[in-house]
């Protein structure tokens, strides 16, 4: 079991997974739980799957919560997870969110699911950073940190917590002064896309994001990995996390004053309707953690 790299449990009647069932799956890179209609919770020790890169939970209609995710994860398909609950921190994170009334009644396209999944992932990154900083000796064979992370969910509207939004497949934003400080974690980049109505069945498509540094310095750009997937004739939200490590490794520019994001597709049948971008900082994740803890305490007091 320790050498198992891919596990397919899709379209099964499982109701729960005990932490002991995945304890030794340390080499697992792909975990497919799609269309497990009775599954309500994932194991609390998911972050121990230290090789996991792809998690597919699309169609898990009763899945309610996601635990903290390993920092190795790169792609999550959470389409049609209609019972997934946004974190209670959404209510109080005023620096990222619009008024609470915009979030409920809950709708997957509101961005609550994408927000919660992304911040669970960022929690794992910060925990890993803390471990690395406190370790007396880092392994020399760890290699370069690659932390591009993609989420796809069913929906049309760009999440309102993305402060910069635009119609079409591109957006340009002015960056604030001192934007690239030591607490900056990266960019959250989002697109709303759908396949052409003329497509009679799901098509295999590809979508990528090109992020261009603008300003007084020479233009450099980062191009995300091509995300392939089966796109039905429905609306989908694609969210990409571009880390500061990837930004500096490819663009090497923390002094630019603007960025431009362009979403590219490899098929004319796929159309990008809207897009958005947001800067992410460590204090945002810390506030998310603190607010979640406060909400949990308040909930326990009411019991």
């Amino acid at each position: 079991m320790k050498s198992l790299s891919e596990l397919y449990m899709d379209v099964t009647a499982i109701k729960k997974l005990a932490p002991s069932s995945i304890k030794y799956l340390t080499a697992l890179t792909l975990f497919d739980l799609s269309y497990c209609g009775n599954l309500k919770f994932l194991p609390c020790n998911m972050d121990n799957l230290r090789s996991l890169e792809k998690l597919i939970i699309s169609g898990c209609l009763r899945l309610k919560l996601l635990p903290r995710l390993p920092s190795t994860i790169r792609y999550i398909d959470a389409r049609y997870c209609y019972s997934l609950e946004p974190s209670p921190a959404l209510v109080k994170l005023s620096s990222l969110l619009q008024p609470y009334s915009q979030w409920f009644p809950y709708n997957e396209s509101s961005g609550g699911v994408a927000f919660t999944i992304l911040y669970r992932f960022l929690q794992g990154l910060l925990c890993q950073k803390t471990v690395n900083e406190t370790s007396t000796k880092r392994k020399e064979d760890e290699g370069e940190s690659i932390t591009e992370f993609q989420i796809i969910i069913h929906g049309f509207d760009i999440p309102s917590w993305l402060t910069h939004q635009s119609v079409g497949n591109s957006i340009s934003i002015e960056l604030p002064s001192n934007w690239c400080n030591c607490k900056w974690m990266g960019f959250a980049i989002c697109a709303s896309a759908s396949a052409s109505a003329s497509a009679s069945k799901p098509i295999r498509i590809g979508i990528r994001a090109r992020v261009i540094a603008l300003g007084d310095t020479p233009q450099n750009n980062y191009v995300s990995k091509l995300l392939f997937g089966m796109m039905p004739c429905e609306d989908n939200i694609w969210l990409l996390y571009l880390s500061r490590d990837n930004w500096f490794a490819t663009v090497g520019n923390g002094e630019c004053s603007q960025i431009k994001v362009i979403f590219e597709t490899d098929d004319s049948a796929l159309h990008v309707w809207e897009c958005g971008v947001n800067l992410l900082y460590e204090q945002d994740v810390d506030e998310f953690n603190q607010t979640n803890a406060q909400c949990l305490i308040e909930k326990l007091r009411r019991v």
Side-chain angles (χ1 to χ4, degrees), residues 95-134:
S95 62
L96 289 177
L97 301 176
Q98 301 298 320
Y100 178 58
S101 59
Q102 294 190 14
W103 290 94
F104 292 96
Y106 172 66
N107 184 316
E108 187 182 34
S109 65
S110 69
V113 167
F115 178 95
T116 303
I117 293 175
L118 175 61
Y119 272 73
R120 290 293 188 190
F121 170 74
L122 295 177
Q123 282 178 328
L125 285 187
L126 284 184
C127 287
Q128 185 62 46
K129 178 182 177 181
T130 301
V131 170
N132 291 340
E133 288 176 348
T134 56

Side-chain angles (χ1 to χ4, degrees), residues 194-208:
S194 63
S196 170
S198 61
S200 58
K201 59 182 180 179
I203 59 173
R204 183 169 175 80
I205 54 84
I207 185 171
R208 66 164 64 88

Side-chain angles (χ1 to χ4, degrees), residues 89 123 283 285-297:
Q123 282 178 328
Q283 55 263 35
V285 183
D286 292 337
E287 188 174 354
F288 174 83
N289 294 338
Q290 293 169 9
T291 307
N292 263 343
Q294 291 172 1
C295 291
L296 179 60
I297 292 172

Side-chain angles (χ1 to χ4, degrees), residues 195-229:
S196 170
S198 61
S200 58
K201 59 182 180 179
I203 59 173
R204 183 169 175 80
I205 54 84
I207 185 171
R208 66 164 64 88
R210 183 182 299 274
V211 187
I212 306 170
L214 303 174
D216 297 332
T217 55
Q219 290 188 14
N220 292 315
N221 67 92
Y222 171 88
V223 181
S224 72
K225 294 179 181 178
L226 191 66
L227 170 64
F228 277 103

Side-chain angles (χ1 to χ4, degrees), residues 45-61:
N45 59 339
M46 285 287 292
D47 56 338
N48 289 336
L49 300 178
R50 57 178 181 265
S51 300
L52 187 65
E53 296 180 357
K54 295 182 179 180
L55 176 63
I56 304 174
I57 52 175
S58 56
C60 292
L61 302 178

Side-chain angles (χ1 to χ4, degrees), residues 14-280:
I14 57 172
K15 295 182 178 180
K16 64 178 181 179
L17 286 170
S20 58
S21 65
I22 65 168
K23 182 178 180 180
Y24 299 106
L25 300 180
T26 53
L28 196 67
T29 60
L30 184 151
F31 199 0
D32 188 349
L33 291 162
S34 58
Y35 296 95
C36 292
N38 296 320
L39 186 63
K40 293 184 178 181
F41 300 99
L42 295 179
C44 60
N45 59 339
M46 285 287 292
D47 56 338
N48 289 336
L49 300 178
R50 57 178 181 265
S51 300
L52 187 65
E53 296 180 357
K54 295 182 179 180
L55 176 63
I56 304 174
I57 52 175
S58 56
C60 292
L61 302 178
R62 297 185 181 182
L63 186 64
K64 293 184 176 182
L65 296 171
L66 288 180
R68 189 160 65 194
L69 301 169
S71 59
T72 55
I73 203 158
R74 299 292 169 260
Y75 172 68
I76 294 179
D77 185 345
R79 289 175 292 178
Y80 317 116
C81 293
Y82 297 120
S83 297
L84 268 180
E85 300 174 357
S87 165
L90 290 174
V91 180
K92 297 184 178 180
L93 284 177
S94 57
S95 62
L96 289 177
L97 301 176
Q98 301 298 320
Y100 178 58
S101 59
Q102 294 190 14
W103 290 94
F104 292 96
Y106 172 66
N107 184 316
E108 187 182 34
S109 65
S110 69
V113 167
F115 178 95
T116 303
I117 293 175
L118 175 61
Y119 272 73
R120 290 293 188 190
F121 170 74
L122 295 177
Q123 282 178 328
L125 285 187
L126 284 184
C127 287
Q128 185 62 46
K129 178 182 177 181
T130 301
V131 170
N132 291 340
E133 288 176 348
T134 56
S135 176
T136 55
K137 182 179 181 181
R138 295 189 62 178
K139 297 179 181 178
E140 294 182 357
D141 59 350
E142 281 182 348
E144 184 182 354
S145 174
I146 305 297
T147 47
E148 181 178 293
F149 175 55
Q150 302 180 17
I151 306 167
I152 185 168
I153 62 173
H154 179 61
F156 181 78
D157 296 326
I158 296 294
S160 59
W161 52 268
L162 287 155
T163 52
H164 306 281
Q165 300 190 19
S166 178
V167 176
N169 73 325
S170 66
I171 182 172
S172 298
I173 68 168
E174 296 280 345
L175 296 170
S177 59
N178 196 33
W179 66 273
C180 189
N181 57 47
C182 63
K183 299 296 183 180
W184 176 62
M185 297 187 70
F187 296 107
I189 303 167
C190 189
S192 168
S194 63
S196 170
S198 61
S200 58
K201 59 182 180 179
I203 59 173
R204 183 169 175 80
I205 54 84
I207 185 171
R208 66 164 64 88
R210 183 182 299 274
V211 187
I212 306 170
L214 303 174
D216 297 332
T217 55
Q219 290 188 14
N220 292 315
N221 67 92
Y222 171 88
V223 181
S224 72
K225 294 179 181 178
L226 191 66
L227 170 64
F228 277 103
M230 296 301 295
M231 178 74 74
C233 300
E234 298 175 353
D235 303 314
N236 290 276
I237 297 294
W238 178 57
L239 179 67
L240 168 73
Y241 166 66
L242 167 57
S243 75
R244 66 177 291 140
D245 289 340
N246 279 3
W247 177 259
F248 284 120
T250 55
V251 179
N253 186 350
E255 299 179 358
C256 60
S257 58
Q258 305 173 53
I259 62 166
K260 182 175 184 179
V261 182
I262 304 173
F263 288 93
E264 305 169 341
T265 67
D266 65 349
D267 194 314
S268 60
L270 182 66
H271 185 77
V272 177
W273 299 99
E274 296 178 311
C275 57
V277 63
N278 206 44
L279 281 77
L280 300 172

